[in-house]
Amino acid sequence: MPQYVPDEVFARSREVFAGAEGWLAGPGAAGLGHAVLEEELAVRGQQIARQLLQDYLDSRAAAEPRRAQVTGPDGVCRRRAERGHARTLASVLGPVTVRRIGYRAAGARNAYPADAELSLPPGRHSHGLAKMTACEAARGSLEQACKLVRSRTGGKLGTRQCQELVRAAAADFAGFYAARPRPAPGPGQVLVLSCDAKGVRMRPGQLRPRAQRAAARAVPRQDGRLSQGEVRTRKRMAATGAVYLITP
């Protein structure tokens, strides 16, 4: 972007930084303990980083060259172009707006070459935010992952959105491990197979046919608890396993 002076591109970012600097030098921060200073600076630091990202995206949008024509994945040639087409991107720094040129043709969806250049995701959540969500969901529940992502990014993330991001992250799970090399145990090493399973209560209609029929016929013998040998026949088994090498 040689035609854009950095002072003009990141002017708003410097304003946000100046606000944080002025707060530190002013009476607002005087006499505060380090814990409050940490919390406030963490929030302001994220605002500065988000504004830097926004300013950079805006500068790329202003410098995007207009192409004579664009052919989309459908094979349709698009010759009409419009600037200013915007989409929201939920990033690890907070929500930002991505503006780019949209190329149009009658009866075809718009094409945005800048999306591919920025490697933007199909949805509104950035790859970094999706990675953060998947990592936190693996450590605990979806609800806990949502709370942590919201506290770190300042954006909104619902349980259903979190679930969709985790599922998308695990889409290539089988293919990834199928392509992994399987080295043989070395001298003195032990090949370990670790498995675990858990019965998960199913929603109506999610049981296998045989268990569905058994659940429909089941009559509890007493209220509040199961009798000896009685099962609810309303669960399915979720199993997982790991194979690895150890040296005793």
Side-chain angles (χ1 to χ4, degrees):
M1 298 175 291
Q3 67 269 40
Y4 291 92
V5 182
D7 289 345
E8 298 176 2
V9 171
F10 298 106
R12 285 173 294 181
S13 298
R14 276 190 297 276
E15 291 177 3
V16 178
F17 178 80
E21 188 178 31
W23 176 80
L24 277 175
L32 295 179
H34 82 280
V36 180
L37 289 171
E38 281 182 331
E39 292 180 2
E40 182 65 23
L41 286 177
V43 173
R44 290 177 179 269
Q46 186 178 30
Q47 292 173 348
I48 295 171
R50 191 204 67 80
Q51 190 60 57
L52 282 169
L53 177 59
Q54 183 64 72
D55 288 348
Y56 175 75
L57 292 174
D58 290 344
S59 66
R60 284 191 61 150
E64 182 183 2
R66 195 241 193 247
R67 308 185 187 196
Q69 62 183 35
V70 169
T71 302
D74 53 4
V76 177
C77 180
R78 297 159 174 82
R79 292 186 172 86
R80 289 183 293 168
E82 291 180 350
R83 289 190 177 272
H85 285 229
R87 59 173 292 187
T88 300
L89 180 68
S91 73
V92 295
L93 303 174
V96 293
T97 301
V98 182
R99 295 179 177 83
R100 66 272 199 248
I101 298 177
Y103 293 86
R104 309 178 63 185
R109 298 182 62 181
N110 292 353
Y112 303 98
D115 286 6
E117 294 175 358
L118 282 168
S119 299
L120 294 181
R124 66 187 301 270
H125 300 94
S126 72
H127 296 307
L129 191 142
K131 178 181 178 180
M132 179 190 297
T133 303
C135 291
E136 296 304 327
R139 297 189 179 101
S141 66
L142 293 177
E143 184 178 357
Q144 291 174 337
C146 287
K147 289 181 179 179
L148 191 140
V149 171
R150 286 195 294 263
S151 65
R152 286 187 179 179
T153 65
K156 298 180 179 179
L157 182 69
T159 305
R160 185 182 296 273
Q161 293 173 319
C162 180
Q163 188 180 54
E164 292 173 353
L165 291 174
V166 172
R167 285 179 174 174
D172 58 349
F173 181 90
F176 173 79
Y177 280 101
R180 298 272 292 179
R182 297 177 175 82
Q189 286 188 315
V190 177
L191 181 65
V192 180
L193 173 63
S194 177
C195 299
D196 193 13
K198 172 67 176 178
V200 181
R201 188 176 178 89
M202 293 287 104
R203 293 171 57 88
Q206 298 300 315
L207 293 169
R208 293 187 174 93
R210 180 178 177 182
Q212 187 75 34
R213 293 192 295 269
R217 294 193 303 266
V219 178
R221 301 176 187 174
Q222 57 182 330
D223 296 332
R225 58 183 300 180
L226 297 176
S227 302
Q228 183 176 2
E230 186 181 9
V231 296
R232 293 196 185 278
T233 64
R234 285 168 173 78
K235 294 184 177 181
R236 291 180 65 177
M237 197 66 70
T240 184
V243 181
Y244 54 95
L245 302 174
I246 63 171
T247 301

